[in-house]
Amino acid sequence: MKITRRGRRHAAVALSAVLLTTMATACSSGSSGSSGSGGTTASGTYQIWDPYPQFDDSSAWVTLLTKCGTDAGVTVKRTGYDTSDLTNKALLAAQQGNSPDVLIVDNPVVSTLAEAGVLTTTDETKIDTSAVEPNLLAAGQFDGKTYGIPIGANTLALYYNKKVLDAAKVDPATIKDWASLTAALEKVKAAGKKGITFSAIGTEEGSFQFLPWFWGSGANLTQLGSPQAVAALSLWTDWLKKGYAPNSVINNTQTTSWQEFATGDFAFSENGTWQLANAKKTGFEYGIIPIPSQAGGTAPAPTGGEFVTAPVQKDTGRYATAEKIISCLTSSDNALTTDTTLSYVAATDAVQQKQVAQNPELKVWVEAVGAAKGRTSDNLGTKYPKISEPMWTAVQAALSGSQSPQDALTAAQSTAAK
């Protein structure tokens, strides 16, 4: 029996809601969101839902949304939700048949919504993604189709404290691989300072921070127990055993990890683009280098950031106007302003170059984003949450000493395979 797209959407929504419990944003901010009724309220009104409740109606972001609606000849009604709240509401709205016209969601959620039949493809809506960097666009692709366009991206790198490294006689430019980084940490400890802090908490944040080392070893998410994966987890475990990283990383979020670095006692902090403003407030001279891979070069770090998508509508005639609004939001001129506001690296090379011209400090972030990859890339889609949770559980077990890296990851692979 042939199952219609609408039928697939209703059947998959309940399962998708369960999968979303492990898809917490690794890098977005915002707390409670405002309420919204969903759907369209009038023929000339288009609904936009976004995960930026921190921006009110007077903000540059909402001003842009309003302008894009006006340019398209319609009125925009915008609702900002907390990220986790937004994805659940998007699933419910799809089930009830009153989805917003434009939905901006964290990139790992795209494949879940796509599989549930909630989103249109860019082929259906005629959204032009040709200028988007392929590694960033991949986070919004599932089964060979593209379900939106990134509004920008962020990722991870290593912040360093210049004073601490100078005291340890470490030149950050010499750190090119795991061996040189570990040697630098050894010198820092010998100089009486602390080495590196990161987040290894048992949530998606822990997986997000482990992935550069995991991928940097050459490991694949479908083989959690591989020798390469064990090498990555052994690296972190050895750092704790030797005192190069504090035991607090086991419970650290990315925020608390940053707070440790901000004390001025640590040489390095693995953290994201979103900490740039806070870095300027630390009171000490800092720098940023890419996270190195095991053999050398920049490790692939996971991409954070949101995709602008167009949910399925009963009235397909609405797609043309939705496309105009989305194209406006992601145009080069508007993306430059928006990505600067959100501390994002742009999704296109042309805008990235403009960002670096305005702020040379972003050069290292453009390099990191260029090497980054989506957590749901490699067509993992909705399989990713089922892999991520066993992975962060393995990291917790190894760092706490309850299991060896090999045993922890072998168990993780067994769990993921189920």
Side-chain angles (χ1 to χ4, degrees):
M1 179 179 68
K2 183 177 180 180
I3 301 175
T4 65
R5 180 172 186 171
R6 182 175 176 83
R8 290 199 306 271
R9 179 167 75 249
H10 290 176
V13 156
L15 174 61
S16 299
V18 175
L19 294 175
L20 284 167
T21 59
T22 59
M23 301 293 276
T25 300
C27 48
S28 290
S29 60
S31 52
S32 61
S34 56
S35 62
S37 60
T40 55
T41 57
S43 60
T45 301
Y46 276 62
Q47 294 272 354
I48 298 180
W49 290 0
D50 68 46
Y52 313 126
Q54 67 270 33
F55 296 133
D56 61 24
D57 289 348
S58 65
S59 67
W61 168 246
V62 178
T63 299
L64 174 61
L65 295 179
T66 302
K67 179 183 183 299
C68 287
T70 300
D71 290 351
V74 298
T75 299
V76 160
K77 182 178 180 181
R78 174 261 183 176
T79 308
Y81 292 103
D82 174 75
T83 296
S84 57
D85 196 27
L86 173 61
T87 50
N88 290 327
K89 287 187 182 304
L91 285 164
L92 181 61
Q95 193 173 34
Q96 296 173 341
N98 61 351
S99 293
D101 295 281
V102 176
L103 176 65
I104 303 170
V105 291
D106 190 25
N107 73 68
V109 179
V110 173
S111 58
T112 298
L113 297 180
E115 187 176 65
V118 174
L119 304 178
T120 62
T121 68
T122 54
D123 285 341
E124 291 174 279
T125 52
K126 312 301 181 186
I127 295 169
D128 183 8
T129 62
S130 60
V132 178
E133 294 298 300
N135 67 315
L136 301 182
L137 190 63
Q141 294 174 326
F142 181 69
D143 280 347
K145 296 179 180 179
T146 303
Y147 291 88
I149 183 170
I151 201 166
N154 54 29
T155 193
L156 297 165
L158 295 179
Y159 289 83
Y160 65 82
N161 184 322
K162 188 175 185 302
K163 183 177 180 180
V164 172
L165 291 189
D166 286 348
K169 295 182 171 52
V170 172
D171 179 359
T174 63
I175 298 172
K176 301 293 186 182
D177 52 24
W178 289 3
S180 54
L181 176 56
T182 300
L185 295 175
E186 183 179 7
K187 290 181 180 179
V188 168
K189 184 184 177 185
K193 291 292 185 179
K194 299 177 181 179
I196 185 168
T197 179
F198 49 87
S199 169
I201 193 170
T203 68
E204 180 60 24
E205 284 191 77
S207 290
F208 189 77
Q209 290 240 318
F210 182 57
L211 277 172
W213 313 96
F214 182 89
W215 282 330
S217 72
N220 187 294
L221 283 171
T222 60
Q223 297 176 329
L224 292 179
S226 69
Q228 294 88 346
V230 172
L233 187 50
S234 296
L235 178 73
W236 272 17
T237 304
D238 289 346
W239 284 352
L240 263 67
K241 288 179 180 177
K242 294 177 180 178
Y244 299 162
N247 288 328
S248 58
V249 300
I250 297 174
N251 297 312
N252 269 348
T253 64
Q254 293 180 110
T255 298
T256 56
S257 171
W258 179 262
Q259 290 168 348
E260 288 181 334
F261 179 67
T263 64
D265 294 330
F266 283 85
F268 297 98
S269 170
E270 179 185 352
N271 230 294
T273 329
W274 55 92
Q275 296 291 5
L276 272 174
N278 289 328
K280 294 175 171 59
K281 300 175 184 177
T282 58
F284 55 78
E285 190 174 355
Y286 70 92
I288 306 163
I289 59 174
I291 297 173
S293 65
Q294 182 176 20
T298 300
T303 56
E306 287 78 41
F307 265 64
V308 190
T309 68
V312 172
Q313 302 293 332
K314 294 177 183 177
D315 178 5
T316 58
R318 300 183 70 83
Y319 295 155
T321 299
E323 184 277 330
K324 291 179 182 178
I325 295 172
I326 292 171
S327 295
C328 174
L329 291 176
T330 56
S331 69
S332 293
D333 290 343
N334 291 331
L336 179 61
T337 302
T338 299
D339 290 336
T340 300
T341 300
L342 298 175
S343 293
Y344 281 171
V345 171
T348 66
D349 178 70
V351 182
Q352 288 175 1
Q353 298 313 311
K354 291 180 180 179
Q355 288 182 303
V356 172
Q358 289 185 357
N359 181 5
E361 191 176 30
L362 290 176
K363 186 175 186 298
V364 67
W365 291 110
V366 169
E367 179 183 346
V369 164
K373 63 186 295 183
R375 284 163 277 175
T376 58
S377 295
D378 301 325
N379 208 39
L380 287 178
T382 53
K383 296 176 184 176
Y384 174 74
K386 303 172 188 177
I387 296 170
S388 179
E389 184 169 359
M391 182 168 64
W392 82 55
T393 301
V395 170
Q396 289 268 297
L399 295 187
S400 67
S402 65
Q403 285 184 296
S404 69
Q406 178 68 73
D407 288 346
L409 286 168
T410 297
Q413 177 59 35
S414 178
T415 301
K418 295 176 183 178

